[in-house]
Amino acid sequence: MQWLYLAIADIFEITVAIAAGKAEGFKNRTWTVVTLVSGAIGTYFLSKALLTFDVGVGYAIWTSIAGVGITLLGALLFGQRLNWRKALGILAIIVGVVGLQLSGAA
Amino acid sequence: MSDTSPSSANSWLTLLLAGGFEVGYALSVGGSHGFTRLTWSLVAVAFFLLTLWALSAALRTIDVALGYAVWAGIGSAGAALLGPVLFDETLTTGQALWLGLIIVGVVWLKLADRQQGGGEPGAVPQDGQEAASARRETQGA
């Protein structure tokens, strides 16, 4: 169940990253509201996930998966190139998350 | 030495502060136990607003990708180190190494965005990227 909570929290965290960029220093009211509401919902599901995960482990997995999602969305929707540097970062995160899970921490 | 101008120093201080707020956010969200503990929950909300405010203030002058990398690095390293101090949690050496790999991956990924950030408007993506990486190499030399 904690992985589902983390996945939901990540969807909202990716929304926060996109909305915060469009909020232009919180001058744009609509995107500011989207940022705050998404952040609140994401935080709630993160807290549910952290009932099972240790804080450091759950937080690192949550924020790193959000980073991977933002990079992949940037490539798919916003025409940013997925170069070898980004692929290497994504690989390191995936190996780290799988390693954590195999080591019994997640 | 131009980096030590007051406004730039203030931005970096604000960014470090945002990283600290993010550590506080992670720890208090964990401590709130699914938002069932009032004090921890209120602290979590305060840290959420503080980290958002400080990060966006710092990113007005600091390069977005670089700023995100520093902020995310401080946040996840701080939460990993302080979690076992504040809560009844243990972190074995093996788990710490995997956690370290994830944190390095996050910082690396954010920094990899940097070479695309400075593309001139109207330039073909490839050209913009080459120009940006050439600039980076000049700065790094």
PDB file of all heavy atoms in Angstrom, chain B residues 47-83:
ATOM      1  N   PHE B  47       6.480  24.487   7.252  1.00  0.00           N
ATOM      2  CA  PHE B  47       7.694  24.203   6.489  1.00  0.00           C
ATOM      3  C   PHE B  47       7.401  24.111   4.993  1.00  0.00           C
ATOM      4  O   PHE B  47       8.210  24.529   4.158  1.00  0.00           O
ATOM      5  CB  PHE B  47       8.360  22.912   6.974  1.00  0.00           C
ATOM      6  CG  PHE B  47       9.301  23.114   8.123  1.00  0.00           C
ATOM      7  CD1 PHE B  47       9.170  22.380   9.284  1.00  0.00           C
ATOM      8  CD2 PHE B  47      10.340  24.037   8.034  1.00  0.00           C
ATOM      9  CE1 PHE B  47      10.045  22.561  10.350  1.00  0.00           C
ATOM     10  CE2 PHE B  47      11.217  24.227   9.088  1.00  0.00           C
ATOM     11  CZ  PHE B  47      11.065  23.484  10.250  1.00  0.00           C
ATOM     12  N   PHE B  48       6.225  23.561   4.644  1.00  0.00           N
ATOM     13  CA  PHE B  48       5.838  23.454   3.226  1.00  0.00           C
ATOM     14  C   PHE B  48       5.787  24.842   2.591  1.00  0.00           C
ATOM     15  O   PHE B  48       6.327  25.073   1.501  1.00  0.00           O
ATOM     16  CB  PHE B  48       4.480  22.746   3.115  1.00  0.00           C
ATOM     17  CG  PHE B  48       3.856  22.829   1.749  1.00  0.00           C
ATOM     18  CD1 PHE B  48       4.410  22.155   0.673  1.00  0.00           C
ATOM     19  CD2 PHE B  48       2.713  23.583   1.538  1.00  0.00           C
ATOM     20  CE1 PHE B  48       3.834  22.236  -0.583  1.00  0.00           C
ATOM     21  CE2 PHE B  48       2.137  23.661   0.280  1.00  0.00           C
ATOM     22  CZ  PHE B  48       2.697  22.991  -0.778  1.00  0.00           C
ATOM     23  N   LEU B  49       5.140  25.800   3.289  1.00  0.00           N
ATOM     24  CA  LEU B  49       5.025  27.154   2.748  1.00  0.00           C
ATOM     25  C   LEU B  49       6.384  27.853   2.738  1.00  0.00           C
ATOM     26  O   LEU B  49       6.717  28.557   1.782  1.00  0.00           O
ATOM     27  CB  LEU B  49       4.008  27.957   3.573  1.00  0.00           C
ATOM     28  CG  LEU B  49       2.568  27.443   3.482  1.00  0.00           C
ATOM     29  CD1 LEU B  49       1.659  28.209   4.444  1.00  0.00           C
ATOM     30  CD2 LEU B  49       2.044  27.569   2.054  1.00  0.00           C
ATOM     31  N   LEU B  50       7.184  27.629   3.798  1.00  0.00           N
ATOM     32  CA  LEU B  50       8.498  28.274   3.892  1.00  0.00           C
ATOM     33  C   LEU B  50       9.431  27.791   2.782  1.00  0.00           C
ATOM     34  O   LEU B  50      10.142  28.590   2.164  1.00  0.00           O
ATOM     35  CB  LEU B  50       9.127  27.984   5.262  1.00  0.00           C
ATOM     36  CG  LEU B  50       8.591  28.808   6.435  1.00  0.00           C
ATOM     37  CD1 LEU B  50       9.137  28.270   7.756  1.00  0.00           C
ATOM     38  CD2 LEU B  50       8.963  30.282   6.271  1.00  0.00           C
ATOM     39  N   THR B  51       9.456  26.478   2.534  1.00  0.00           N
ATOM     40  CA  THR B  51      10.377  25.947   1.526  1.00  0.00           C
ATOM     41  C   THR B  51       9.972  26.426   0.127  1.00  0.00           C
ATOM     42  O   THR B  51      10.813  26.780  -0.696  1.00  0.00           O
ATOM     43  CB  THR B  51      10.460  24.399   1.610  1.00  0.00           C
ATOM     44  OG1 THR B  51      11.568  23.947   0.844  1.00  0.00           O
ATOM     45  CG2 THR B  51       9.211  23.716   1.132  1.00  0.00           C
ATOM     46  N   LEU B  52       8.649  26.492  -0.112  1.00  0.00           N
ATOM     47  CA  LEU B  52       8.150  26.962  -1.406  1.00  0.00           C
ATOM     48  C   LEU B  52       8.532  28.427  -1.621  1.00  0.00           C
ATOM     49  O   LEU B  52       9.019  28.818  -2.691  1.00  0.00           O
ATOM     50  CB  LEU B  52       6.619  26.803  -1.425  1.00  0.00           C
ATOM     51  CG  LEU B  52       5.934  26.574  -2.757  1.00  0.00           C
ATOM     52  CD1 LEU B  52       6.481  25.344  -3.448  1.00  0.00           C
ATOM     53  CD2 LEU B  52       4.429  26.435  -2.553  1.00  0.00           C
ATOM     54  N   TRP B  53       8.345  29.225  -0.571  1.00  0.00           N
ATOM     55  CA  TRP B  53       8.639  30.655  -0.661  1.00  0.00           C
ATOM     56  C   TRP B  53      10.140  30.901  -0.851  1.00  0.00           C
ATOM     57  O   TRP B  53      10.562  31.637  -1.743  1.00  0.00           O
ATOM     58  CB  TRP B  53       8.136  31.369   0.597  1.00  0.00           C
ATOM     59  CG  TRP B  53       8.693  32.735   0.732  1.00  0.00           C
ATOM     60  CD1 TRP B  53       8.294  33.858   0.057  1.00  0.00           C
ATOM     61  CD2 TRP B  53       9.795  33.129   1.569  1.00  0.00           C
ATOM     62  NE1 TRP B  53       9.084  34.924   0.431  1.00  0.00           N
ATOM     63  CE2 TRP B  53      10.007  34.504   1.349  1.00  0.00           C
ATOM     64  CE3 TRP B  53      10.616  32.447   2.469  1.00  0.00           C
ATOM     65  CZ2 TRP B  53      11.011  35.213   2.009  1.00  0.00           C
ATOM     66  CZ3 TRP B  53      11.614  33.155   3.121  1.00  0.00           C
ATOM     67  CH2 TRP B  53      11.804  34.521   2.888  1.00  0.00           C
ATOM     68  N   ALA B  54      10.965  30.248  -0.017  1.00  0.00           N
ATOM     69  CA  ALA B  54      12.407  30.486  -0.062  1.00  0.00           C
ATOM     70  C   ALA B  54      12.999  29.990  -1.384  1.00  0.00           C
ATOM     71  O   ALA B  54      13.854  30.660  -1.978  1.00  0.00           O
ATOM     72  CB  ALA B  54      13.091  29.806   1.120  1.00  0.00           C
ATOM     73  N   LEU B  55      12.538  28.830  -1.856  1.00  0.00           N
ATOM     74  CA  LEU B  55      13.078  28.283  -3.108  1.00  0.00           C
ATOM     75  C   LEU B  55      12.756  29.207  -4.286  1.00  0.00           C
ATOM     76  O   LEU B  55      13.627  29.517  -5.095  1.00  0.00           O
ATOM     77  CB  LEU B  55      12.516  26.882  -3.363  1.00  0.00           C
ATOM     78  CG  LEU B  55      13.023  26.203  -4.636  1.00  0.00           C
ATOM     79  CD1 LEU B  55      14.521  25.945  -4.575  1.00  0.00           C
ATOM     80  CD2 LEU B  55      12.284  24.896  -4.891  1.00  0.00           C
ATOM     81  N   SER B  56      11.499  29.668  -4.350  1.00  0.00           N
ATOM     82  CA  SER B  56      11.134  30.515  -5.489  1.00  0.00           C
ATOM     83  C   SER B  56      11.847  31.860  -5.403  1.00  0.00           C
ATOM     84  O   SER B  56      12.205  32.440  -6.433  1.00  0.00           O
ATOM     85  CB  SER B  56       9.618  30.705  -5.562  1.00  0.00           C
ATOM     86  OG  SER B  56       9.171  31.513  -4.504  1.00  0.00           O
ATOM     87  N   ALA B  57      12.099  32.356  -4.189  1.00  0.00           N
ATOM     88  CA  ALA B  57      12.840  33.614  -4.034  1.00  0.00           C
ATOM     89  C   ALA B  57      14.277  33.438  -4.507  1.00  0.00           C
ATOM     90  O   ALA B  57      14.815  34.276  -5.237  1.00  0.00           O
ATOM     91  CB  ALA B  57      12.800  34.069  -2.583  1.00  0.00           C
ATOM     92  N   ALA B  58      14.903  32.314  -4.130  1.00  0.00           N
ATOM     93  CA  ALA B  58      16.299  32.071  -4.496  1.00  0.00           C
ATOM     94  C   ALA B  58      16.446  31.872  -6.003  1.00  0.00           C
ATOM     95  O   ALA B  58      17.417  32.328  -6.611  1.00  0.00           O
ATOM     96  CB  ALA B  58      16.830  30.851  -3.745  1.00  0.00           C
ATOM     97  N   LEU B  59      15.445  31.204  -6.617  1.00  0.00           N
ATOM     98  CA  LEU B  59      15.546  30.867  -8.045  1.00  0.00           C
ATOM     99  C   LEU B  59      15.307  32.072  -8.945  1.00  0.00           C
ATOM    100  O   LEU B  59      15.429  31.971 -10.162  1.00  0.00           O
ATOM    101  CB  LEU B  59      14.562  29.732  -8.404  1.00  0.00           C
ATOM    102  CG  LEU B  59      14.889  28.372  -7.786  1.00  0.00           C
ATOM    103  CD1 LEU B  59      13.953  27.306  -8.316  1.00  0.00           C
ATOM    104  CD2 LEU B  59      16.344  27.993  -8.045  1.00  0.00           C
ATOM    105  N   ARG B  60      14.955  33.222  -8.341  1.00  0.00           N
ATOM    106  CA  ARG B  60      14.830  34.423  -9.160  1.00  0.00           C
ATOM    107  C   ARG B  60      16.189  34.845  -9.701  1.00  0.00           C
ATOM    108  O   ARG B  60      16.276  35.418 -10.781  1.00  0.00           O
ATOM    109  CB  ARG B  60      14.206  35.556  -8.338  1.00  0.00           C
ATOM    110  CG  ARG B  60      12.755  35.825  -8.719  1.00  0.00           C
ATOM    111  CD  ARG B  60      12.159  36.932  -7.895  1.00  0.00           C
ATOM    112  NE  ARG B  60      11.368  36.397  -6.793  1.00  0.00           N
ATOM    113  CZ  ARG B  60      11.205  37.001  -5.622  1.00  0.00           C
ATOM    114  NH1 ARG B  60      11.815  38.150  -5.380  1.00  0.00           N
ATOM    115  NH2 ARG B  60      10.450  36.465  -4.706  1.00  0.00           N
ATOM    116  N   THR B  61      17.264  34.567  -8.954  1.00  0.00           N
ATOM    117  CA  THR B  61      18.593  34.974  -9.433  1.00  0.00           C
ATOM    118  C   THR B  61      19.513  33.786  -9.711  1.00  0.00           C
ATOM    119  O   THR B  61      20.402  33.883 -10.538  1.00  0.00           O
ATOM    120  CB  THR B  61      19.281  35.911  -8.414  1.00  0.00           C
ATOM    121  OG1 THR B  61      19.039  35.404  -7.101  1.00  0.00           O
ATOM    122  CG2 THR B  61      18.725  37.313  -8.513  1.00  0.00           C
ATOM    123  N   ILE B  62      19.293  32.652  -9.016  1.00  0.00           N
ATOM    124  CA  ILE B  62      20.162  31.489  -9.225  1.00  0.00           C
ATOM    125  C   ILE B  62      19.597  30.639 -10.365  1.00  0.00           C
ATOM    126  O   ILE B  62      18.379  30.501 -10.500  1.00  0.00           O
ATOM    127  CB  ILE B  62      20.260  30.652  -7.929  1.00  0.00           C
ATOM    128  CG1 ILE B  62      20.924  31.492  -6.830  1.00  0.00           C
ATOM    129  CG2 ILE B  62      21.035  29.364  -8.159  1.00  0.00           C
ATOM    130  CD1 ILE B  62      20.897  30.851  -5.466  1.00  0.00           C
ATOM    131  N   ASP B  63      20.489  30.099 -11.193  1.00  0.00           N
ATOM    132  CA  ASP B  63      20.102  29.196 -12.273  1.00  0.00           C
ATOM    133  C   ASP B  63      19.170  28.096 -11.744  1.00  0.00           C
ATOM    134  O   ASP B  63      19.490  27.449 -10.742  1.00  0.00           O
ATOM    135  CB  ASP B  63      21.369  28.575 -12.872  1.00  0.00           C
ATOM    136  CG  ASP B  63      21.061  27.527 -13.917  1.00  0.00           C
ATOM    137  OD1 ASP B  63      20.781  27.918 -15.054  1.00  0.00           O
ATOM    138  OD2 ASP B  63      21.064  26.326 -13.571  1.00  0.00           O
ATOM    139  N   VAL B  64      18.003  27.921 -12.405  1.00  0.00           N
ATOM    140  CA  VAL B  64      16.948  27.044 -11.879  1.00  0.00           C
ATOM    141  C   VAL B  64      17.446  25.609 -11.656  1.00  0.00           C
ATOM    142  O   VAL B  64      17.254  25.035 -10.581  1.00  0.00           O
ATOM    143  CB  VAL B  64      15.718  27.044 -12.822  1.00  0.00           C
ATOM    144  CG1 VAL B  64      14.710  25.996 -12.369  1.00  0.00           C
ATOM    145  CG2 VAL B  64      15.071  28.419 -12.817  1.00  0.00           C
ATOM    146  N   ALA B  65      18.124  25.045 -12.660  1.00  0.00           N
ATOM    147  CA  ALA B  65      18.564  23.649 -12.545  1.00  0.00           C
ATOM    148  C   ALA B  65      19.588  23.483 -11.428  1.00  0.00           C
ATOM    149  O   ALA B  65      19.521  22.538 -10.631  1.00  0.00           O
ATOM    150  CB  ALA B  65      19.143  23.172 -13.871  1.00  0.00           C
ATOM    151  N   LEU B  66      20.526  24.424 -11.349  1.00  0.00           N
ATOM    152  CA  LEU B  66      21.546  24.372 -10.299  1.00  0.00           C
ATOM    153  C   LEU B  66      20.899  24.529  -8.927  1.00  0.00           C
ATOM    154  O   LEU B  66      21.214  23.793  -7.981  1.00  0.00           O
ATOM    155  CB  LEU B  66      22.580  25.481 -10.538  1.00  0.00           C
ATOM    156  CG  LEU B  66      23.728  25.574  -9.536  1.00  0.00           C
ATOM    157  CD1 LEU B  66      24.557  24.300  -9.551  1.00  0.00           C
ATOM    158  CD2 LEU B  66      24.614  26.780  -9.847  1.00  0.00           C
ATOM    159  N   GLY B  67      19.959  25.485  -8.832  1.00  0.00           N
ATOM    160  CA  GLY B  67      19.272  25.731  -7.567  1.00  0.00           C
ATOM    161  C   GLY B  67      18.489  24.514  -7.103  1.00  0.00           C
ATOM    162  O   GLY B  67      18.565  24.123  -5.937  1.00  0.00           O
ATOM    163  N   TYR B  68      17.764  23.887  -8.037  1.00  0.00           N
ATOM    164  CA  TYR B  68      16.986  22.681  -7.715  1.00  0.00           C
ATOM    165  C   TYR B  68      17.910  21.563  -7.245  1.00  0.00           C
ATOM    166  O   TYR B  68      17.584  20.818  -6.314  1.00  0.00           O
ATOM    167  CB  TYR B  68      16.208  22.194  -8.947  1.00  0.00           C
ATOM    168  CG  TYR B  68      14.752  22.595  -8.958  1.00  0.00           C
ATOM    169  CD1 TYR B  68      14.209  23.314 -10.006  1.00  0.00           C
ATOM    170  CD2 TYR B  68      13.917  22.233  -7.900  1.00  0.00           C
ATOM    171  CE1 TYR B  68      12.870  23.685 -10.018  1.00  0.00           C
ATOM    172  CE2 TYR B  68      12.581  22.597  -7.901  1.00  0.00           C
ATOM    173  CZ  TYR B  68      12.063  23.320  -8.971  1.00  0.00           C
ATOM    174  OH  TYR B  68      10.748  23.669  -8.968  1.00  0.00           O
ATOM    175  N   ALA B  69      19.074  21.425  -7.906  1.00  0.00           N
ATOM    176  CA  ALA B  69      20.016  20.355  -7.555  1.00  0.00           C
ATOM    177  C   ALA B  69      20.501  20.520  -6.120  1.00  0.00           C
ATOM    178  O   ALA B  69      20.511  19.557  -5.338  1.00  0.00           O
ATOM    179  CB  ALA B  69      21.195  20.351  -8.530  1.00  0.00           C
ATOM    180  N   VAL B  70      20.885  21.752  -5.765  1.00  0.00           N
ATOM    181  CA  VAL B  70      21.388  22.017  -4.415  1.00  0.00           C
ATOM    182  C   VAL B  70      20.287  21.796  -3.387  1.00  0.00           C
ATOM    183  O   VAL B  70      20.481  21.131  -2.359  1.00  0.00           O
ATOM    184  CB  VAL B  70      21.935  23.467  -4.319  1.00  0.00           C
ATOM    185  CG1 VAL B  70      22.263  23.830  -2.879  1.00  0.00           C
ATOM    186  CG2 VAL B  70      23.155  23.624  -5.213  1.00  0.00           C
ATOM    187  N   TRP B  71      19.099  22.335  -3.689  1.00  0.00           N
ATOM    188  CA  TRP B  71      17.954  22.229  -2.775  1.00  0.00           C
ATOM    189  C   TRP B  71      17.553  20.772  -2.546  1.00  0.00           C
ATOM    190  O   TRP B  71      17.366  20.326  -1.407  1.00  0.00           O
ATOM    191  CB  TRP B  71      16.801  23.035  -3.372  1.00  0.00           C
ATOM    192  CG  TRP B  71      15.489  22.912  -2.684  1.00  0.00           C
ATOM    193  CD1 TRP B  71      15.125  23.493  -1.506  1.00  0.00           C
ATOM    194  CD2 TRP B  71      14.339  22.188  -3.152  1.00  0.00           C
ATOM    195  NE1 TRP B  71      13.828  23.168  -1.206  1.00  0.00           N
ATOM    196  CE2 TRP B  71      13.319  22.370  -2.193  1.00  0.00           C
ATOM    197  CE3 TRP B  71      14.091  21.403  -4.283  1.00  0.00           C
ATOM    198  CZ2 TRP B  71      12.063  21.797  -2.339  1.00  0.00           C
ATOM    199  CZ3 TRP B  71      12.848  20.835  -4.417  1.00  0.00           C
ATOM    200  CH2 TRP B  71      11.847  21.031  -3.457  1.00  0.00           C
ATOM    201  N   ALA B  72      17.431  20.014  -3.640  1.00  0.00           N
ATOM    202  CA  ALA B  72      17.025  18.601  -3.529  1.00  0.00           C
ATOM    203  C   ALA B  72      18.092  17.780  -2.808  1.00  0.00           C
ATOM    204  O   ALA B  72      17.773  16.887  -2.016  1.00  0.00           O
ATOM    205  CB  ALA B  72      16.762  18.022  -4.920  1.00  0.00           C
ATOM    206  N   GLY B  73      19.372  18.108  -3.069  1.00  0.00           N
ATOM    207  CA  GLY B  73      20.465  17.394  -2.414  1.00  0.00           C
ATOM    208  C   GLY B  73      20.449  17.605  -0.904  1.00  0.00           C
ATOM    209  O   GLY B  73      20.545  16.646  -0.129  1.00  0.00           O
ATOM    210  N   ILE B  74      20.307  18.873  -0.483  1.00  0.00           N
ATOM    211  CA  ILE B  74      20.251  19.180   0.955  1.00  0.00           C
ATOM    212  C   ILE B  74      19.044  18.494   1.583  1.00  0.00           C
ATOM    213  O   ILE B  74      19.145  17.870   2.652  1.00  0.00           O
ATOM    214  CB  ILE B  74      20.162  20.707   1.189  1.00  0.00           C
ATOM    215  CG1 ILE B  74      21.427  21.402   0.712  1.00  0.00           C
ATOM    216  CG2 ILE B  74      19.933  21.011   2.683  1.00  0.00           C
ATOM    217  CD1 ILE B  74      21.350  22.917   0.785  1.00  0.00           C
ATOM    218  N   GLY B  75      17.878  18.590   0.917  1.00  0.00           N
ATOM    219  CA  GLY B  75      16.646  18.029   1.463  1.00  0.00           C
ATOM    220  C   GLY B  75      16.746  16.539   1.708  1.00  0.00           C
ATOM    221  O   GLY B  75      16.451  16.057   2.815  1.00  0.00           O
ATOM    222  N   SER B  76      17.196  15.791   0.694  1.00  0.00           N
ATOM    223  CA  SER B  76      17.179  14.333   0.853  1.00  0.00           C
ATOM    224  C   SER B  76      18.330  13.838   1.728  1.00  0.00           C
ATOM    225  O   SER B  76      18.150  12.896   2.506  1.00  0.00           O
ATOM    226  CB  SER B  76      17.158  13.627  -0.512  1.00  0.00           C
ATOM    227  OG  SER B  76      18.020  14.250  -1.416  1.00  0.00           O
ATOM    228  N   ALA B  77      19.501  14.494   1.640  1.00  0.00           N
ATOM    229  CA  ALA B  77      20.607  14.085   2.513  1.00  0.00           C
ATOM    230  C   ALA B  77      20.272  14.416   3.972  1.00  0.00           C
ATOM    231  O   ALA B  77      20.510  13.600   4.878  1.00  0.00           O
ATOM    232  CB  ALA B  77      21.903  14.782   2.095  1.00  0.00           C
ATOM    233  N   GLY B  78      19.693  15.594   4.195  1.00  0.00           N
ATOM    234  CA  GLY B  78      19.338  16.003   5.553  1.00  0.00           C
ATOM    235  C   GLY B  78      18.302  15.089   6.178  1.00  0.00           C
ATOM    236  O   GLY B  78      18.424  14.692   7.343  1.00  0.00           O
ATOM    237  N   ALA B  79      17.276  14.736   5.376  1.00  0.00           N
ATOM    238  CA  ALA B  79      16.222  13.850   5.896  1.00  0.00           C
ATOM    239  C   ALA B  79      16.794  12.468   6.222  1.00  0.00           C
ATOM    240  O   ALA B  79      16.442  11.857   7.229  1.00  0.00           O
ATOM    241  CB  ALA B  79      15.092  13.730   4.877  1.00  0.00           C
ATOM    242  N   ALA B  80      17.714  11.978   5.365  1.00  0.00           N
ATOM    243  CA  ALA B  80      18.308  10.655   5.590  1.00  0.00           C
ATOM    244  C   ALA B  80      19.172  10.643   6.845  1.00  0.00           C
ATOM    245  O   ALA B  80      19.182   9.669   7.598  1.00  0.00           O
ATOM    246  CB  ALA B  80      19.141  10.248   4.371  1.00  0.00           C
ATOM    247  N   LEU B  81      19.906  11.750   7.085  1.00  0.00           N
ATOM    248  CA  LEU B  81      20.815  11.793   8.231  1.00  0.00           C
ATOM    249  C   LEU B  81      20.072  12.053   9.534  1.00  0.00           C
ATOM    250  O   LEU B  81      20.420  11.503  10.580  1.00  0.00           O
ATOM    251  CB  LEU B  81      21.880  12.877   8.011  1.00  0.00           C
ATOM    252  CG  LEU B  81      22.889  12.592   6.896  1.00  0.00           C
ATOM    253  CD1 LEU B  81      23.796  13.789   6.665  1.00  0.00           C
ATOM    254  CD2 LEU B  81      23.731  11.367   7.248  1.00  0.00           C
ATOM    255  N   LEU B  82      19.041  12.926   9.497  1.00  0.00           N
ATOM    256  CA  LEU B  82      18.357  13.316  10.730  1.00  0.00           C
ATOM    257  C   LEU B  82      17.197  12.392  11.096  1.00  0.00           C
ATOM    258  O   LEU B  82      16.791  12.350  12.262  1.00  0.00           O
ATOM    259  CB  LEU B  82      17.860  14.761  10.625  1.00  0.00           C
ATOM    260  CG  LEU B  82      18.966  15.825  10.652  1.00  0.00           C
ATOM    261  CD1 LEU B  82      18.382  17.221  10.518  1.00  0.00           C
ATOM    262  CD2 LEU B  82      19.777  15.724  11.943  1.00  0.00           C
ATOM    263  N   GLY B  83      16.655  11.648  10.117  1.00  0.00           N
ATOM    264  CA  GLY B  83      15.562  10.715  10.401  1.00  0.00           C
ATOM    265  C   GLY B  83      15.900   9.754  11.545  1.00  0.00           C
ATOM    266  O   GLY B  83      15.171   9.670  12.529  1.00  0.00           O
TER     267      GLY B  83
END
